[in-house]
Amino acid sequence: NKGKNQIAFFSEKILIGKTRQLDLTELLRESVERGFKDFEVYYQMQVNADTREIKGAEALARWKCEKYGQIPPDQFIPILEESGLIMPVGRWIFEQALDACAHWIKKDPDFVISVNLSYVQLEDAGFIDFMEQAVLNSGVPPANVVVEMTESYIASNINRVEGIFDRIRSFGMKIAMDDFGTGYSSLGILKKIPADIVKIDRIFVRDVQTSHFDLTFIKFIVELCHDVGIEVCLEGVETEDEYEAVKPHDVDFIQGYLFGKPVPENTFEEQNFS
Ligand code: C2E
Ligand code: CA
Ligand code: CA
Ligand code: CA
């Protein structure tokens, strides 16, 4: 509609995007083939909202490629998912996280490790078997392991997910519903297939000091969840002022830059267990 020049401009941009994506796919594949070279798992602490004491950590994938430098997971995870590479990488991340946790529970037996699962991993029939075996091999009690799944995946696969939830639970692990509040049917899925933990997305914290709606949303979700026995983790608390604003509303756990950014395993250990 806007004329030839504009069309040419957009298609060129798309072309560059596609080329880079193909390039990244190949670089990721190489990285996997070389024993997950350039991949790393970072850990971000989660704290008890009342006491600020450490409760556990979320494992977060990092990838630094030689050609383009550090690529954020929001960019490389979708490429891993599209190419199927998320299968080996996801298993590797899960094992790395359990390995780290096995050390940390010796110092703090209540330490909980949370790992993100992609929807692609959940489509793999063997993945639950793999998880169970990996947990058994690591010596970490299943109760110290939380798997995080996004609200949007759960919402669009309610029937499949129910069976997956049952298996994960009967093995003794816990389930967290990630990015809560960003989908179209947040409350509906809470009722249909409740998780053990709800992680309220950080978009509700960003403006919490000025937005009456956001604070009310947090308050309301906490009340609702606690009524049915679900714990609440609040993501993205960056400042003391934000912490003060949400503190009266009884969230169970907090994960945010105020308490710690994601850091490599060694750094996490030095900061918390030495
Ligand atoms: P997520 O699962 O919602 O992870 C939390 C993200 O919020 C992390 O970004 C974390 O660094 C960031 N964050 C935590 N506290 C704060 C804060 O106070 N302020 C701000 N601005 N950000 C904060 P990260 O590490 O870049 O990961 C982005 C997303 O990539 C994750 O969102 C998750 O969806 C995906 N991802 C990361 N690692 C993995 C993985 O191992 N497997 C899968 N399937 N997805 C992963
Ligand atoms: Ca997560
Ligand atoms: Ca999240
Ligand atoms: Ca996310």
Side-chain angles (χ1 to χ4, degrees):
N1 282 346
K2 292 192 174 172
K4 251 186 180 170
N5 289 338
Q6 299 261 1
I7 292 166
F9 171 72
F10 281 120
S11 48
E12 192 179 323
K13 246 185 118 171
I14 290 165
L15 196 65
I16 291 167
K18 282 257 184 269
T19 313
R20 184 177 143 113
Q21 171 141 355
L22 281 175
D23 204 16
L24 288 177
T25 310
E26 275 324 299
L27 291 166
L28 282 161
R29 195 182 307 280
E30 249 174 60
S31 189
V32 169
E33 279 163 6
R34 294 193 194 160
F36 305 100
K37 185 180 164 283
D38 303 335
F39 283 101
E40 202 176 351
V41 183
Y42 274 35
Y43 298 88
Q44 184 183 26
M45 82 158 93
Q46 298 176 335
V47 301
N48 183 305
D50 281 335
T51 64
R52 293 172 168 242
E53 276 165 7
I54 186 162
K55 160 168 212 265
E58 178 177 6
L60 293 159
R62 294 291 179 266
W63 184 63
K64 190 174 178 195
C65 96
E66 278 160 22
K67 188 165 173 188
Y68 297 106
Q70 192 92 37
I71 309 282
D74 286 332
Q75 277 178 41
F76 72 78
I77 296 281
I79 303 179
L80 292 177
E81 289 174 338
E82 275 172 46
S83 61
L85 288 167
I86 192 70
M87 301 299 194
V89 176
R91 290 181 181 217
W92 181 80
I93 292 166
F94 197 71
E95 286 174 335
Q96 295 291 308
L98 283 171
D99 230 43
C101 184
H103 289 116
W104 298 335
I105 55 171
K106 286 186 195 139
K107 306 200 170 139
D108 174 4
D110 297 325
F111 189 89
V112 173
I113 189 77
S114 299
V115 186
N116 293 287
L117 292 194
S118 150
Y119 72 97
V120 180
Q121 290 171 281
L122 296 167
E123 305 285 322
D124 168 12
F127 189 71
I128 309 255
D129 289 329
F130 163 82
M131 282 202 300
E132 294 182 357
Q133 200 53 55
V135 171
L136 293 174
N137 291 344
S138 72
V140 174
N144 294 54
V145 182
V146 173
V147 296
E148 301 193 357
M149 294 176 214
T150 62
E151 182 205 284
S152 54
Y153 175 76
I154 297 171
S156 48
N157 296 275
I158 291 216
N159 292 332
R160 262 186 60 75
V161 166
E162 248 183 321
I164 293 172
F165 274 31
D166 285 346
R167 266 201 73 188
I168 291 175
R169 279 224 187 82
S170 56
F171 183 68
M173 294 188 288
K174 292 192 178 136
I175 298 153
M177 195 181 290
D178 206 354
D179 302 345
F180 187 83
T182 59
Y184 294 110
S185 51
S186 308
L187 296 178
I189 48 171
L190 256 196
K191 180 177 156 74
K192 282 203 185 94
I193 36 168
D196 303 291
I197 300 154
V198 155
K199 294 187 81 173
I200 299 181
D201 195 82
R202 70 167 186 269
I203 56 167
F204 296 99
V205 178
R206 220 168 29 202
D207 306 318
V208 79
Q209 291 153 270
T210 49
S211 165
H212 180 65
F213 178 89
D214 290 352
L215 196 59
T216 306
F217 180 86
I218 293 170
K219 209 159 97 181
F220 168 75
I221 294 303
V222 170
E223 250 184 68
L224 185 68
C225 285
H226 284 178
D227 253 15
V228 294
I230 299 174
E231 293 181 308
V232 179
C233 177
L234 190 61
E235 290 191 282
V237 175
E238 294 181 349
T239 66
E240 286 291 343
D241 289 341
E242 286 167 356
Y243 176 66
E244 287 307 319
V246 300
K247 198 174 174 343
H249 301 305
D250 242 13
V251 297
D252 300 285
F253 314 114
I254 295 180
Q255 182 180 342
Y257 292 171
L258 175 62
F259 300 101
K261 290 193 172 176
V263 290
E265 182 178 336
N266 288 340
T267 313
F268 191 85
E269 195 156 323
E270 278 160 24
Q271 287 175 350
N272 299 293
F273 295 110
S274 63

